Amino acid sequence: MIKKVLITGATGLIGTELVKQCHREGIAVNYFTTSKEKIENSQNYKGFYWNPKKGEIDLKAFEGTTAIINLVGATISKRWTDKYKKVILNSRTETMDLLHETLTKIDHTIVHFISASGVSIYPNSKTKLYTEENNEVDDTFLAEVVVAWEAAAARFKDLGMEVSKVRTGVVLAKDDGALPKLAKPIKLGVGAPLGSGEQWQSWIHLEDIAGIYLFLLKNQLEGKYNAVAPNPVQNKKMTKLIAAKLENPLWLPNIPAFVLKMVLGEMSVLVLEGQLVSSQKIEQLGYHFKYYNLENALQDLL
């Protein structure tokens, strides 16, 4: 029985929901923060300072914990300048390097390392259904990030731990992440499918992505897992469903790909490309999705 977990990125979108779900299950949470002002200290939620750039880390964070859930990473939805691309990559690998280096030097009780990852490792395709068995890797910057992220996580196996990699799809939440950005132009009456509109969106509701982390933690499952809902949709269907839910008709033609490339640069792959990703593995192991279809996810969120 897991009694205490250490979470990096606990104050982010997924982390906040995961902390709630851990507490509901009676699991105490220690977390790292780079801000001394964000340190809380209650019976089941304790913050510890770290500064991965300077290699500073409070060793007390590891006391009594049997697992680490690693969610830390700079947002990918900010313009990808060369400088910011380094931030995206380093924010994922430097933090894991510091954890790994620290754990090689101290006595600890950690047996399980669970790390965030992304479905953007899979090549863009309109027809292929990707499972965890697929080894193809896309040639985009995001895929490069995921490869480095997963390689950094795999090193924890050397420390005798079980390692899990959670390949996350588009996370849908009420006030943050992709959904408010998709809903905003529709609310303003200028919503339209992006590019061809046929690119797949392998989405997941915030409660389910946190639920999958908790499921892997409680069952001590290792390996790669696609964290996407069972029913991905194409961009045009997602746009239409959001518009219907908001009761705002779509009247504009699709926004051409070249316009999005001009506006967003390299980052346009986030909206113009997609992967059709299978959730079968996690379902067969016994995870029950709360939000199976996009309709009921949007019903909850909008």
Side-chain angles (χ1 to χ4, degrees):
M1 174 61 194
I2 297 278
K3 290 195 170 64
K4 191 187 281 186
V5 63
L6 172 59
I7 301 179
T8 72
T11 56
L13 177 66
I14 296 169
T16 306
E17 174 62 28
L18 179 57
V19 168
K20 258 189 245 167
Q21 293 192 21
C22 283
H23 285 163
R24 235 178 274 149
E25 295 284 322
I27 299 168
V29 173
N30 284 359
Y31 68 95
F32 277 125
T33 174
T34 53
S35 161
K36 288 179 179 169
E37 290 72 52
K38 275 193 184 171
I39 289 176
E40 286 184 45
N41 200 348
S42 62
Q43 198 181 343
N44 61 359
Y45 188 56
K46 290 184 177 160
F48 298 87
Y49 178 73
W50 73 341
N51 185 331
K53 281 208 170 353
K54 292 184 178 171
E56 291 172 21
I57 190 165
D58 187 342
L59 300 180
K60 291 193 200 77
F62 298 99
E63 286 171 13
T65 60
T66 47
I68 294 175
I69 296 179
N70 176 58
L71 302 173
V72 77
T75 178
I76 55 167
S77 53
K78 193 172 147 184
R79 195 164 184 91
W80 296 357
T81 59
D82 287 346
K83 190 178 172 186
Y84 192 65
K85 279 162 84 171
K86 282 193 186 115
V87 171
I88 291 172
L89 185 60
N90 293 346
S91 65
R92 285 157 175 77
T93 54
E94 273 176 2
T95 47
M96 282 204 269
D97 290 345
L98 178 58
L99 287 170
H100 188 274
E101 194 185 314
T102 306
L103 291 170
T104 55
K105 294 176 188 164
I106 63 169
D107 286 334
H108 61 84
T109 47
I110 292 156
V111 293
H112 195 184
F113 187 84
I114 305 172
S115 180
S117 177
V119 296
S120 42
I121 192 167
Y122 301 120
N124 173 45
S125 175
K126 291 192 176 78
T127 53
K128 183 162 183 150
L129 177 67
Y130 289 106
T131 72
E132 292 82 350
E133 301 302 308
N134 288 101
N135 294 319
E136 303 96 308
V137 173
D138 206 356
D139 57 3
T140 61
F141 164 67
L142 277 188
E144 187 191 313
V145 169
V146 177
V147 169
W149 211 356
E150 292 195 353
R155 291 173 59 216
F156 288 81
K157 267 192 173 1
D158 316 341
L159 303 177
M161 293 176 200
E162 288 177 336
V163 173
S164 320
K165 299 161 193 169
V166 183
R167 290 180 169 174
T168 311
V170 178
V171 177
L172 301 183
K174 210 183 281 283
D175 303 315
D176 201 354
L179 187 58
K181 293 183 182 79
L182 291 167
K184 190 178 175 182
I186 295 170
K187 284 178 181 169
L188 295 171
V190 290
L194 306 174
S196 69
E198 287 168 16
Q199 64 278 32
W200 286 99
Q201 315 247 259
S202 291
W203 62 275
I204 186 166
H205 188 291
L206 178 62
E207 284 177 43
D208 278 318
I209 179 66
I212 285 173
Y213 277 104
L214 189 61
F215 181 78
L216 296 175
L217 177 72
K218 286 170 68 183
N219 295 289
Q220 222 175 308
L221 296 167
E222 64 173 336
K224 290 181 285 210
Y225 298 92
N226 291 334
V228 295
N231 293 296
V233 295
Q234 288 176 305
N235 172 264
K236 58 187 173 190
K237 183 172 182 188
M238 184 177 271
T239 310
K240 280 176 187 163
L241 286 171
I242 295 170
K245 188 78 200 73
L246 295 171
E247 297 180 354
N248 275 30
L250 296 174
W251 56 275
L252 286 171
N254 289 22
I255 299 168
F258 78 88
V259 172
L260 291 161
K261 283 177 185 166
M262 270 166 47
V263 174
L264 298 171
E266 193 182 351
M267 192 176 143
S268 61
V269 297
L270 289 176
V271 293
L272 290 174
E273 295 190 1
Q275 302 83 6
L276 178 60
V277 179
S278 166
S279 61
Q280 219 175 350
K281 181 177 176 181
I282 196 86
E283 287 182 277
Q284 284 172 346
L285 287 165
Y287 182 75
H288 298 290
F289 279 85
K290 191 171 175 187
Y291 297 95
Y292 215 79
N293 293 309
L294 185 58
E295 288 85 342
N296 65 352
L298 294 177
Q299 185 65 38
D300 177 64
L301 296 168
L302 289 175

